[in-house]
Amino acid sequence: MGTIINAIPGEVYTITDVDTLVIIHRRLTESDIKRQLSQYNDIFVKQTGAGIPDITNSMIAYVRVKVLLESGVDTFDGKVYRELFKECKNQITRINNIIRLTKTSALTAEEYQKDRIAATLKKNEAFIVCLEAEMASIEKKLDRLPKVEEEETNPIQTKEVTKIPQEKKEGFLERLEKKVNARKEKKEIGEFLRNEEKKQAKTCCEEIPYYDRNLVFTVSMVCKDIPAYTLLRRKNNIYFGLSKNVGKSNYDNSDGTLVELTKASEEFLQFMTEDLLGGEYTLNPFSEQEKEGMEMYFDFVTRCFEVHIGVTLTVREYLNFKVYYNQLVSMMFDLERQQKEDYYKALILADRYQCYMRCYGLEYTDSRDKAIEHILSECNENYISDIELILNNHIVDSGAKDDLEQLKEEIEHFHMKVEIADASVAVCEPVKVLPQVMQQEIPHEITQNNYMQIVIQLLDGKREVVDEALYAGDNIRQALFDFERKDACIKRLGFRNNGVDIFYKEEVSR
């Protein structure tokens, strides 16, 4: 029954269980659920196509039947009416989301699809009107509407003779108090009007109109996705308007296009004005405030395209925005994944370090969480010195020494980078084995080529390649992490530039 929400105006609506619903309706005793089921079934007799009133009547009947079935009763009472009120509210929220997504899809729809989309939008808007009317009807039945108290009027009016008090001359304090109260009242009225206007906002920024004909601002920022519009800052207030109306330090609002974004955050402004994927920034995992700013950015820009596409904005700009936002969301998850990988890697190292200390009767001051934090930030001098203390005083076995040396190396060089001593190495130069230097950098001459890749090769005892892995040039951290984890007789790390391999590091297992 719930598929009624997908019915198309003008088309015949049917479902596979029509006969079942008819039989159930006949067998039910007289009750509210039988009457609503009858109203729902009326749509199946529209052989020439169901209109919007037919669809909305069946939709309301479906909601009523759903609430009755979930409540386990067949007749409405006060408790069930309250559940019906909640269900109507939930359905309105759901349909509003459908309307919003439909409007977004309509921006890039083909011509032959637009009539069907327009009919669907009209139907969904009719759903909301009917659901709101149903909620109003329920409120009346539950006596929820406030009663208007009529003022009692006295039919016989009598005039009272009162003495007019002599006016006292106001002093300075009285006049000052009046001015303060008047200013306070004016401010309260202004705040009330702003809050009422916020209720009409269409985005998370809670935009309200700016009524003055001119705005003097201190900072202007062109929106990167929609350059026809500019963000303006004055003190702590943020405004949004057409770029063509922006002067050197003032905005001409004679056309009434300027709005104030009352909920705009600094994170929102960064997403609106900065290209975070351009390679100019070192990005860290997003905080909760940054995620909220990103969601606000998507909501606001999408709404701008819904309203202004074809007027001040183009379809090409909309598609470019969608591509950029898709990549931004993917990058956010990549950063979180890398953060979690680093955390669990540091967790293993911290556990190993503390376990070694306990096994050899030594004390340590940092908790495990603090040790993880220090390893991630490479504040590891105390841990390195503790491991060296164990090496110098307790370790005799070569295997145990190798294990401790490896732990020390992994803690000391937690974030590894590759260093290339000479960027002008010829292509034909043979493989070189570099010393164990982990804190390294990649030369610009190698990384600037678009075809550069990082290559890891695993070789057997006969120096024959048994496995190979390729990474993008900007994914060096993951490549180094995988290189350290891989186990092989011989493994080597290098670059593949224009189809030619240049290796800079080779390790042979003992």
Side-chain angles (χ1 to χ4, degrees):
M1 293 177 68
T3 56
I4 187 65
I5 198 172
N6 299 322
I8 304 298
E11 297 183 5
V12 177
Y13 173 74
T14 185
I15 58 177
T16 57
D17 298 324
V18 173
D19 296 335
T20 304
L21 290 177
V22 173
I23 294 171
I24 292 174
H25 172 259
R26 289 175 181 173
R27 293 181 177 178
L28 285 172
T29 58
E30 191 63 30
S31 60
D32 286 337
I33 195 169
K34 182 173 182 177
R35 286 188 286 272
Q36 299 309 319
L37 192 57
S38 174
Q39 179 177 328
Y40 180 87
N41 291 343
D42 287 344
I43 196 172
F44 299 126
V45 301
K46 308 295 180 181
Q47 298 300 324
T48 58
I52 290 180
D54 302 321
I55 298 174
T56 53
N57 287 338
S58 293
M59 173 65 178
I60 295 297
Y62 157 71
V63 175
R64 293 170 181 166
V65 171
K66 180 175 183 289
V67 172
L68 286 169
L69 290 175
E70 290 177 351
S71 300
V73 296
D74 57 4
T75 304
F76 284 106
D77 56 20
K79 181 178 179 181
V80 180
Y81 273 128
R82 292 185 182 91
E83 293 300 322
L84 179 58
F85 187 89
K86 294 178 184 177
E87 181 62 25
C88 289
K89 196 171 182 180
N90 293 337
Q91 291 291 338
I92 288 175
T93 301
R94 179 189 176 194
I95 294 171
N96 273 326
N97 289 333
I98 293 174
I99 290 174
R100 187 167 186 178
L101 293 173
T102 305
K103 288 181 178 179
T104 302
S105 300
L107 298 176
T108 55
E110 300 292 341
E111 287 297 329
Y112 70 89
Q113 297 174 319
K114 289 186 178 180
D115 292 339
R116 190 181 182 93
I117 292 175
T120 303
L121 282 172
K122 193 173 180 181
K123 174 202 68 176
N124 289 332
E125 290 167 355
F127 280 165
I128 292 179
V129 172
C130 291
L131 288 168
E132 289 175 344
E134 180 74 5
M135 293 171 66
S137 174
I138 295 170
E139 283 184 326
K140 290 180 181 178
K141 292 175 182 177
L142 297 173
D143 294 327
R144 288 192 175 185
L145 290 177
K147 297 181 179 179
V148 180
E149 297 180 357
E150 297 182 357
E151 295 182 0
E152 296 183 358
T153 58
N154 188 1
I156 303 175
Q157 296 180 355
T158 58
K159 294 184 179 180
E160 295 182 359
V161 179
T162 57
K163 294 183 179 181
I164 301 175
Q166 295 182 353
E167 294 183 0
K168 295 182 180 180
K169 189 175 181 180
E170 293 183 349
F172 172 76
L173 292 178
E174 286 81 1
R175 292 197 304 271
L176 179 62
E177 184 179 1
K178 275 189 176 182
K179 288 183 178 180
V180 171
N181 290 336
R183 184 175 298 178
K184 183 179 179 181
E185 183 179 359
K186 183 178 179 181
K187 184 178 179 181
E188 289 176 352
I189 293 174
E191 285 298 321
F192 173 78
L193 294 176
R194 283 171 63 89
N195 292 332
E196 289 299 313
E197 288 178 330
K198 288 179 184 179
K199 295 178 181 178
Q200 308 299 322
K202 302 297 183 182
T203 72
C204 300
C205 294
E206 295 190 5
E207 68 282 358
I208 61 175
Y210 183 79
Y211 296 105
D212 293 349
R213 295 178 61 86
N214 188 63
L215 171 73
V216 178
F217 58 85
T218 54
V219 179
S220 65
M221 300 162 282
V222 177
C223 302
K224 70 175 190 309
D225 300 295
I226 45 177
Y229 291 88
T230 297
L231 290 164
L232 308 171
R233 183 195 291 273
R234 184 179 69 177
K235 296 183 179 178
N236 295 326
N237 298 330
I238 304 298
Y239 303 86
F240 177 79
L242 288 168
S243 298
K244 66 179 182 179
N245 294 346
V246 178
K248 187 174 181 180
S249 60
N250 68 298
Y251 182 91
D252 180 11
N253 193 37
S254 56
D255 56 1
T257 55
L258 191 65
V259 294
E260 180 182 353
L261 308 182
T262 59
K263 292 293 184 179
S265 62
E266 291 298 325
E267 292 79 12
F268 166 78
L269 295 180
Q270 184 181 39
F271 285 113
M272 287 289 294
T273 58
E274 301 292 341
D275 182 7
L276 301 181
L277 304 179
E280 299 178 6
Y281 299 95
T282 300
L283 300 178
N284 296 318
F286 288 7
S287 63
E288 289 302 318
Q289 291 83 356
E290 288 170 334
K291 289 181 180 179
E292 291 175 2
M294 186 175 73
E295 294 167 6
M296 185 182 293
Y297 156 65
F298 174 78
D299 175 72
F300 184 76
V301 175
T302 301
R303 181 62 183 172
C304 288
F305 277 112
E306 290 178 4
V307 176
H308 302 296
I309 196 166
V311 183
T312 54
L313 303 176
T314 66
V315 175
R316 173 55 56 189
E317 288 174 330
Y318 177 65
L319 294 176
N320 289 340
F321 162 71
K322 291 189 75 172
V323 170
Y324 173 83
Y325 191 78
N326 294 158
Q327 294 174 350
L328 184 65
V329 173
S330 298
M331 184 267 300
M332 177 190 70
F333 287 118
D334 287 342
L335 291 173
E336 289 185 351
R337 175 186 56 79
Q338 185 62 50
Q339 181 189 40
K340 290 175 182 177
E341 288 179 356
D342 287 347
Y343 173 83
Y344 287 112
K345 180 183 174 183
L347 171 63
I348 293 171
L349 296 177
D351 279 342
R352 288 178 61 192
Y353 158 74
Q354 293 183 349
C355 188
Y356 265 113
M357 295 292 286
R358 291 194 300 269
C359 288
Y360 287 99
L362 299 176
E363 296 181 356
Y364 51 87
T365 57
D366 293 338
S367 65
R368 186 173 70 172
D369 290 340
K370 200 68 177 177
I372 293 171
E373 180 182 339
H374 286 166
I375 292 173
L376 286 170
S377 60
E378 294 192 349
C379 299
N380 48 34
E381 295 84 359
N382 292 337
Y383 309 143
I384 300 302
S385 61
D386 288 342
I387 294 173
E388 289 177 347
L389 188 66
I390 296 175
L391 283 168
N392 295 333
N393 293 277
H394 295 287
I395 302 302
V396 177
D397 180 70
S398 60
K401 182 178 181 181
D402 291 342
D403 190 50
L404 261 178
E405 289 284 1
Q406 181 185 2
L407 175 61
K408 173 187 171 184
E409 191 76 14
E410 290 177 359
I411 293 177
E412 186 174 8
H413 305 294
F414 185 81
H415 298 292
M416 295 180 300
K417 296 181 181 178
V418 173
E419 179 183 31
I420 300 176
D422 186 2
S424 61
V425 176
V427 172
C428 59
E429 187 171 341
V431 173
K432 294 184 177 181
V433 180
L434 294 185
Q436 298 292 326
V437 180
M438 302 295 180
Q439 192 65 28
Q440 304 158 342
E441 297 179 354
I442 304 172
H444 180 68
E445 291 80 356
I446 295 296
T447 58
Q448 68 182 354
N449 193 312
N450 291 332
Y451 299 97
M452 191 277 290
Q453 294 176 300
I454 302 169
V455 58
I456 296 175
Q457 286 187 351
L458 304 182
L459 294 79
D460 57 15
K462 300 179 181 179
R463 301 192 66 85
E464 293 181 356
V465 177
V466 295
D467 193 11
E468 181 178 87
L470 290 175
Y471 300 82
D474 56 355
N475 201 17
I476 186 169
R477 177 175 291 181
Q478 184 64 43
L480 291 172
F481 181 70
D482 291 347
F483 180 76
E484 290 300 317
R485 292 194 306 169
K486 290 184 181 296
D487 186 20
C489 183
I490 302 172
K491 57 181 179 179
R492 54 190 184 184
L493 173 70
F495 296 95
R496 179 166 294 174
N497 196 9
N498 293 330
V500 179
D501 292 342
I502 307 174
F503 293 101
Y504 294 95
K505 184 174 183 179
E506 181 176 297
E507 290 185 3
V508 180
S509 62
R510 299 174 182 175

